[in-house]
Every structure is written in structure tokens, then in C-alpha cells.
């Protein structure tokens, strides 16, 4: 993986970080009052993933997720009734 400053990975990382930073340093940070660190981190991850999905830079392939062994997603789906 090329992690140099001008690589595609670094560009996507900057987009995700900029989206997540709103939860820590911009006006959205006021929303974090009373939130646990876990909830803040989850909100940051959610915001970054939404931006990347909306830009079409990532795609969710549910078949591939279900085919991977040793990850919790299928168990979570069963627990959620899905």
C-alpha cells in the first residue's frame, strides 16, 4: 500500500479524516457534550464512511462480507434479526 502524501490512499484518508474531525474540532464538537468516547469515535467513523460512500470511493459488498470467515458481521445480523 502506497501511503505517500500524494497517493490515492492518502487522499481518501484525508477525506475521511476531514469528515471525522468535525466531531472533534469543528462546530459539531458541541454535539459531543455528554457523549462517551466510544460514541464519539463511532460517530466519527460513521461520518467518514458516509462521506466515502457518497463520493463512490468505497462500496459495500455484502456477499464478500458474508463470505469472509472470522469476522462478527454474520453473528450481528442474526442477533439483530437480519
Amino acid at each position: 500500500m502506497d501511503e505517500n502524501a500524494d497517493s490515492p490512499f492518502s487522499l481518501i484518508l484525508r477525506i475521511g479524516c476531514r469528515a471525522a474531525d468535525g466531531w472533534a474540532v469543528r462546530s459539531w464538537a458541541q454535539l459531543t457534550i455528554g457523549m462517551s468516547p466510544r460514541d464519539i469515535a463511532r460517530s466519527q467513523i460513521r461520518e467518514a464512511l458516509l462521506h466515502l460512500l457518497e463520493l463512490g470511493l468505497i462500496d459495500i459488498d455484502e456477499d464478500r462480507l458474508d463470505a469472509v470467515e472470522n469476522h462478527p458481521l454474520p453473528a450481528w445480523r442474526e442477533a439483530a434479526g437480519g
Side-chain angles (χ1 to χ4, degrees):
M1 178 65 61
D2 181 4
E3 295 184 38
N4 290 314
D6 60 344
S7 71
F9 172 80
S10 291
L11 175 60
I12 291 171
L13 178 62
R14 285 193 301 274
I15 292 169
C17 287
R18 186 170 183 181
D21 282 351
W23 283 93
V25 297
R26 291 201 292 263
S27 61
W28 301 342
Q30 294 178 18
L31 300 173
T32 65
I33 295 172
M35 291 177 72
S36 70
R38 181 190 73 183
D39 289 336
I40 293 169
R42 288 180 176 184
S43 296
Q44 290 173 314
I45 292 166
R46 181 182 182 278
E47 193 71 26
L49 287 173
L50 283 173
H51 275 58
L52 296 174
L53 284 164
E54 288 172 351
L55 290 170
L57 295 172
I58 61 173
D59 189 24
I60 298 172
D61 185 338
E62 292 183 56
D63 293 333
R64 286 182 74 183
L65 286 173
D66 288 338
V68 175
E69 294 183 22
N70 299 321
H71 73 82
L73 187 59
W76 290 350
R77 284 192 180 155
E78 291 171 15

